[in-house]
Structure formats: structure tokens, C-alpha cells
Amino acid sequence: MTHIKTKLGRRAFIKNTSLAGGGLVLGFSWLNSCKPKGAEAVAMELEMPKEWYEINGYLKIGDNGVVTIMSPNPEIGQNVRTSMPMIVADELEVDWKNVVVEQAPLNTNLYSWQVAGGSRSISSSWQNLRMAGATARQMLKEAAARTWQVPVGEITAIAGVLSHEASGNSAGYGEMASAAASLEVPEEIELKEIADFSIIGTSRKNVDGKKIITGQPLFGLDVQREDMLIASLVHPPAFGMKLKSFDAESVKKMPGIHDVFSIKLYDEDYKKNTFHFTAFNELVAVVGESTWQVFQAKKALNVEWENTSDITETVTMFGNEMEVTFPAGMEDSETHTTKLKDLISTKGKVARKDGDPETAFKNAAKIIERSYSCPFLAHNTMEPMNFFAHVTEDHAELLGPTQTPEWMEPAVAEVLGLPLESIDIQMTRQGGGFGRRLYGHFMVETALISKKMKAPVKLVYSREDDMTQGIYRPAYYATYRAALDADNNLTAFHVKGGGIPESPIFANRFPAGAIDNYLAEDFTMNSNITTGAFRAPRSNFIAGAEQSFLDELAEEMGKDPIDFRLELLKRAQENPVGEKETNDYDAVRYAGVLELVKEKANWGQAEAGVHRGVSAYFCHQSYVAQVLDMVMENNKPIVQKVTAAIDCGIVVNPDAASNLSEGGAIDGIGHAMYSGLTFKDGAPEQNNFDRYRLIRHSEAPKSIETHFVQNDIDPTGMGEPPFPPIMGALANALYKATGRRHYHQPFITDKPPLVG
């Protein structure tokens, strides 16, 4: 056992003795303990107890031994509702079959880190969850020791049963729960040794699986309340426009329509944080009795729009203020491309410089230069944006899918003019997030509509609303250059990248630190098209570009692409350029996934007609290497197999982690090959799946094999890291299969046509 002082979070335990049965709530907040956190729970069909005893803010124990573990973090498909309670249950020493899951409401006094973003749900809560389980286990042991009048050190706890070998006494957790709930929080607890984990590291089925496949209500769109109205919104048809006027009277006469009015989300002096962004601040709300009636009324509504002027806003992001400019005008994709190319040809802002790259390029025997680009992308979650709100004069209840409940709570409170404690936000399971639901303007919209209607309201976006409302993956452009000497040795490396409106460059990531003369530059370009985080922000472009260029460079140097990467990583480990601490990555772990994928994919032993591409990347503190096998059938590329090697530290739930690996690979292949959002006169040219291409079932890899590096490192990110590198592996395999390099996503529209 590992001893740990609970003083780390002792003051963060919040007691509440008003519970039935004399229960005690001990909440655990890293706001007071200096670290973030979260928690989880599991739902199963069990006989429910007659009485519950709350041991701490993460769990309660029934008189029959059933344990409920609360799940504070939003569930967006990453399976944290299963994996996080596994951590608590393991330290608690309870039989998994006796665990039930409940979704916790927003309560930052108890849980503090209630966000689904940055692949941090597990990693930021790892210590927290373990302490919650271990603290409860210790309190149960102390209760048994006092009851049996024996030393607590002689009590064992295994699978929900407390035992004292010398006296022969034993009792289930349920029998001691009431006594345990009355005890003080222990000063010191013991965490398990990693080798002693019995639940962590084993595969457990999705606790919501049965409900999902049988169509039981779990999602925001499933919410139904008595007297609930349906609302939808009309926003400007193009970026660079705003509401001027509308004719509500004729639409109000349509069947089922209750009202039509405009709403304004934020006043001019409202201090936004980055997650309060919305493309259109003033909208027209249509409220009625059914989704069909409301959508038909929207089509019939006559609205007049006008052009906006330049707008500059001060926005706070994690405590740092920055100015954001939204220029006036109707933008289009052709102009974007021209401007990005112009910017890439001028000097950018130096993000990192090692050695003397200018001289190295001047003296080079050969220079390899390639440019890469990608378009805007829509998140296109399976479940379109929606939310429920019931706002009264002194209270607001909100319920629905959001990745950032705690960051949106202050915004809802301020626009409603209510104190924070009067806002009650509950979370449903979410039909996808990918970063889109980090931006909760739809929560504010719903609350304002409910306040106006003095009724419970569910806001529902159509697919077209969602795809034309903004918050897209930014468009990026990057140029890579490499200098070779007369002996074909790499002497300098230069990357310059920018985007609309942010740069994709991570200056201190690989191959920084592995090359004597290295230069990274970046630039940005303002736009009135709103963008936001998209699965693995920035990495979702730059990984594919970087890994494609490294493959081309390896070929030019006459080296195997994996061996070339391993050579660079060896240099970064043994003789790094600059301070090793400056580099974002661990060269040993990075090399480890490349060596593992090389072994598992039988690299160098491909079958005839199978064309292979490799890629490896570090992001969200995890390392992923992938080999993609491709064949050509009827002049069409077919992805046969993806082999992945991943180092994400301790793998809590291998099934869930493998699912994330598979989903990331499929998602990455689909976006790189098919997806793109273009603009003309400020309006998206794609607003539904008839024009916006996603990967289809028949185009997914025929098989995906994932191998995890076994180590004792605390868990790191898993939801996003498998997504970026697969784009490079795809591009490299396409080259082997067709003899042609692809530099501009989506590859299917890269000219000349990829297929046919």
C-alpha cells in the first residue's frame, strides 16, 4: 500500500449531516486541494437498498452493500461513465457487479473539474478518484474495528466484505455503512499498489450500453416535461451579417406557434470567456408545440438582414485577456487560400530557433520544400445542439448535453440576472461533442427563451442550423523545408504555419530538439467566421502534415521511415539540441510506440499489393504510432487494416481505450479523405450531409488492432491522441499505393482526382 496524507484535500471535504439515516456527505474539491478532478459511476440492474449511507461526495453505500458512485464529468462518448467509477471501485475494494452509476449535477463545491475537454477526464481526476475510494474503504475498516473492538490494522477489505481473521468476524459493507458515515475523515489513507489493482486494467462493458441499444432516454433530445414548449432559432444566412428586422405576425398565426421574438445573448459590456463565443449575438426565436410546427414556421418567417461592421472584443481564456477582431465583410474560401499563401511567403513570428538555420539552408546541397493545407470542418455531432430550460423568477433549471457546465453557469446566471446558487445545471449523456459542446451559447439561448415564455422550453437545432452556426475547426496552411548536405544528411529543418484564425504550430514538439538548425514560425489571420476547439485542436492538421513531410524526407534520404524517426528520437534523447526540458515530448516514450508498432505490424514484411504508411505523434501527454495498410480495388483505395501502438500510461479500461483508438482512426481517415466546409459570400456551401461528406461504413478500415505500452505511469489522454496521426499514415499509404503525394485535404477532391 502507498500511504498518502489526506491533508492534501482534507479541508476540501464538505460535510452534510441532513441526510436520512444519519448519512455523511464528504465532498472532495481540488479547488481547495490545488488539483483538478472528476468522478464516475456504473449502472446495473440490482436490487436497490432500503436505505443509503453517503460516505463521501463520490459514493454512497446501501444497507445491502450496493454502491452508487457519482459521475461528475460530462459523458460525450469517451466512456468515462464506466472508466472513472472503476477507479473509485478498485480503491474501495467493492465487487464491480454491486456498483451503480449516477450522473452528478453541476456542483463545483463538491467536484470542481466538471469539464469534458482536452482528454483530461481521467488524467486530471486519477488521484482524486483513488482517494475517494480509499478514504471510504478506510472509514469502513475503522467502523468494523470499533464494532468488533479490534485494531483497525487487522481488518481486511476484499470485494465489499470486511473481515477479522483472529476473531472470525466478517460483515458486508452495507452492515457497516451507517457507522462509517458517522466517522471523521482519516488523517492518512493507504492507496493500493498498482500491482494490486483488481478492476483497473480490466475490460468492463459500457454501463449505458443496454440503454443505448434499446433506445431508452439518455440524451438531451430525449428530454420531455409536462407543458414543455419547443423552440428553434433563425440566424443570419452568412457570417458578416446581423439581424435588421422581421415580420412575426403572419408566422404567429401558423398552427401550434406560441410566439416569435428576438433574443440578444450578451450585452456589449459583458465580459466573455472564450467558451461564450457565438457567431450571432441577436437571433429570432420561434416557439411552438412541436418540432415540426416550429421548423415549418421558421421557413415561412420573413427576416431582413444587414451587414456588420468590424468588431473587436476582449475575451478571457483561462484567466488571460486577449483581443479578438472579427472583420466586416463576406468572406469566401478562394480569398482565404490566396491570403494564406501570401502570409506563408512573408516572415512569420519566430516561435523557436536553434542553431543557424539560415546559413544551413544557404549552404545546402538540396532543399526539400512542401506545403500543406486543410479546410474548415463542422463538428457534426450525431445529436444536434439542443438544451432544456425552465426559468422562473428566482430559479433556473437547465438540462442537456454540454461539455462545459461549470464554465457556462456564470454566463447563464448573468444574462438571467440570478445569483449563481439559483442556477441548477444537470447533464445528459451526449451524442458526440468533439469540442463543439465546449461552447454553450445554446444554453444561454434556451434560458432566455424560457424566461420570455415563462414556461419550460426545449431548444432544438436542425442539422442545417448546426452546420451554419459557426464554431468550426479552423482552416490551416503550413510549409515545411529541409536542408540536406552533399552526403544527404539532414542539416536544417524549418516549419512555418498559420491559420484562420490561429496557428497550428507547436514549436517545441518533435522534431524540435533533434536537429541542430531548427526554425519554427507562425502567423494568424482574422476572420468573422467563428472557430473553436475540434478533436485534438491544431494537432488535427499539423500531425498529418508533419508526418507526411517526414516520410517524404526519409525517402529522399534513402532511409526507412520508421528508422529515420527513431534516429531523430535517439538524438533528442541522448544529445538534445537546446535544453531537453524545452521539448514537449519524452523521446523514450515516443520511440517506444514506434518500436512497438514496427513489431506488431510486422513492418518490412508487407504482402504483395499491400501499401503501407506509418505515422507517430505526441499530444495530450500521450504517444500514438499507427501503420495503415491499403490496397487498390478497381482503382479505388481501400484501407484494409490499421495497427496502432499507444502509450497513455495506465490503461483503466482496455475495451474503452481500444474503442477510442478505433474511433479516432476512423474519424481521422474520414476527415482527411472526404470532409471540408467551404464559403462563398460569407455563407457555408455545405449545410447537410448531401454536400458535406463523412466517411461511410464501407470505407472504414476492415480491421483495427490496438496495442498498449505497459507501464506504471499515471493515465494520460486517450480521447484525442489517436485522431491526428492517422491522417499522416493515410497520406503516406496513398503515396505508396498511387505514386502520388497528397498535400491538401480533403484528399478525395485534391486535383487531379484521387479516384477515377
Side-chain angles (χ1 to χ4, degrees), residues 104-136:
L106 176 64
N107 187 337
T108 53
N109 287 327
L110 282 174
Y111 308 111
S112 80
W113 177 257
Q114 291 186 269
V115 173
S119 296
R120 290 184 57 199
S121 291
I122 295 288
S123 63
S124 65
S125 305
W126 172 248
Q127 183 86 342
N128 229 25
L129 297 166
R130 293 186 67 190
M131 286 183 69
T135 301

Side-chain angles (χ1 to χ4, degrees), residues 129-416:
L129 297 166
R130 293 186 67 190
M131 286 183 69
T135 301
R137 167 168 44 86
Q138 181 65 20
M139 292 169 73
L140 287 161
K141 290 171 71 174
E142 288 185 9
R146 294 187 184 193
T147 300
W148 299 331
Q149 296 294 298
V150 298
V152 68
E154 296 178 5
I155 304 293
T156 60
I158 301 174
V161 177
L162 299 154
S163 301
H164 183 249
E165 185 176 0
S167 65
N169 287 319
S170 68
Y173 280 180
E175 298 173 67
M176 293 293 171
S178 179
S182 66
L183 298 176
E184 288 293 318
V185 178
E187 289 285 350
E188 184 174 291
I189 58 170
E190 290 181 334
L191 297 181
K192 283 186 172 183
E193 298 295 339
I194 291 170
D196 295 330
F197 288 154
S198 58
I199 296 175
I200 296 169
T202 64
S203 290
R204 306 290 166 156
K205 292 182 179 179
N206 187 324
V207 297
D208 287 336
K210 184 175 181 180
K211 291 181 179 180
I212 293 170
I213 63 174
T214 56
Q216 296 181 48
L218 286 169
F219 301 93
L221 285 174
D222 295 325
V223 172
Q224 298 292 333
R225 291 290 176 85
E226 187 177 352
D227 299 323
M228 183 182 77
L229 298 173
I230 299 295
S232 195
L233 295 165
V234 181
H235 64 74
F239 296 90
M241 302 190 81
K242 63 180 181 179
L243 178 65
K244 182 178 181 181
S245 64
F246 61 99
D247 178 14
E249 296 311 311
S250 59
V251 173
K252 287 181 180 180
K253 298 174 183 177
M254 293 179 68
I257 300 304
H258 285 224
D259 205 352
V260 179
F261 51 89
S262 65
I263 60 170
K264 186 175 182 180
L265 271 65
Y266 303 112
D267 293 332
E268 282 71 15
D269 59 350
Y270 179 77
K271 293 184 178 180
K272 293 182 183 177
N273 74 41
T274 188
F275 299 103
H276 297 165
F277 265 152
T278 178
F280 309 112
N281 196 46
E282 195 167 5
L283 308 144
V284 181
V286 180
V287 186
E289 296 172 7
S290 73
T291 307
W292 173 258
Q293 291 169 331
V294 167
F295 282 10
Q296 294 308 302
K298 281 174 59 178
K299 293 177 183 178
L301 185 64
N302 183 22
V303 186
E304 189 176 357
W305 312 98
E306 60 183 349
N307 294 338
T308 62
S309 56
D310 290 351
I311 300 171
T312 299
E313 294 184 343
T314 300
V315 178
T316 301
M317 184 172 185
F318 301 120
N320 299 314
E321 284 193 353
M322 58 183 179
E323 282 197 346
V324 180
T325 298
F326 300 94
M330 314 293 239
E331 302 179 15
D332 64 76
S333 293
E334 288 187 9
T335 304
H336 287 159
T337 301
T338 300
K339 288 183 177 180
L340 286 171
K341 287 182 177 179
D342 289 343
L343 287 167
I344 204 82
S345 64
T346 60
K347 186 171 179 60
K349 177 184 175 183
V350 175
R352 174 167 172 165
K353 183 178 179 179
D354 295 327
D356 187 359
E358 292 86 357
T359 300
F361 275 102
K362 182 179 178 180
N363 296 333
K366 186 187 299 182
I367 294 176
I368 313 299
E369 180 173 327
R370 300 291 184 266
S371 293
Y372 303 82
S373 69
C374 71
F376 292 97
L377 291 177
H379 292 80
N380 278 325
T381 59
M382 184 176 291
E383 178 188 22
M385 299 305 105
N386 68 90
F387 227 80
F388 169 85
H390 188 192
V391 178
T392 63
E393 289 185 1
D394 56 5
H395 184 261
E397 177 197 6
L398 289 95
L399 172 65
T402 172
Q403 291 180 242
T404 53
E406 71 171 88
W407 295 344
M408 289 308 302
E409 186 181 43
V412 172
E414 182 156 342
V415 299
L416 293 178

Side-chain angles (χ1 to χ4, degrees), residues 578-727:
E579 297 295 328
K580 186 185 293 187
E581 293 76 17
T582 303
N583 301 326
D584 288 347
Y585 60 94
D586 181 327
V588 174
R589 294 180 71 188
Y590 209 137
V593 292
L594 274 165
E595 290 164 347
L596 183 59
V597 84
K598 183 177 183 179
E599 172 197 340
K600 297 299 183 181
N602 294 315
W603 183 259
Q605 304 174 39
E607 301 173 16
V610 177
H611 312 282
R612 318 191 86 180
V614 67
S615 183
Y617 193 67
F618 159 79
C619 68
H620 298 86
Q621 307 307 312
S622 292
Y623 302 79
V624 178
Q626 294 157 324
V627 170
L628 185 147
D629 293 349
M630 179 179 288
V631 298
M632 296 296 289
E633 295 181 3
N634 300 319
N635 201 30
K636 181 180 179 182
I638 304 294
V639 180
Q640 264 195 342
K641 183 179 181 180
V642 172
T643 305
I646 300 176
D647 183 349
C648 59
I650 295 169
V651 180
V652 175
N653 186 348
D655 264 4
S658 294
N659 289 343
L660 290 170
S661 172
E662 293 160 10
I666 295 168
D667 202 21
I669 291 168
H671 286 303
M673 188 73 106
Y674 305 110
S675 301
L677 194 69
T678 57
F679 293 84
K680 188 172 180 61
D681 296 327
E685 294 186 287
Q686 301 81 19
N687 64 8
N688 210 320
F689 298 131
D690 57 335
R691 295 183 182 179
Y692 190 96
R693 183 81 155 78
L694 291 174
I695 193 170
R696 295 166 183 164
H697 286 283
S698 62
E699 295 159 343
K702 307 308 175 190
S703 69
I704 301 174
E705 190 177 283
T706 302
H707 303 273
F708 294 100
V709 174
Q710 302 298 311
N711 58 41
D712 293 344
I713 298 170
D714 286 355
T716 51
M718 188 61 213
E720 291 161 281
F723 178 64
I726 196 65
M727 302 181 192

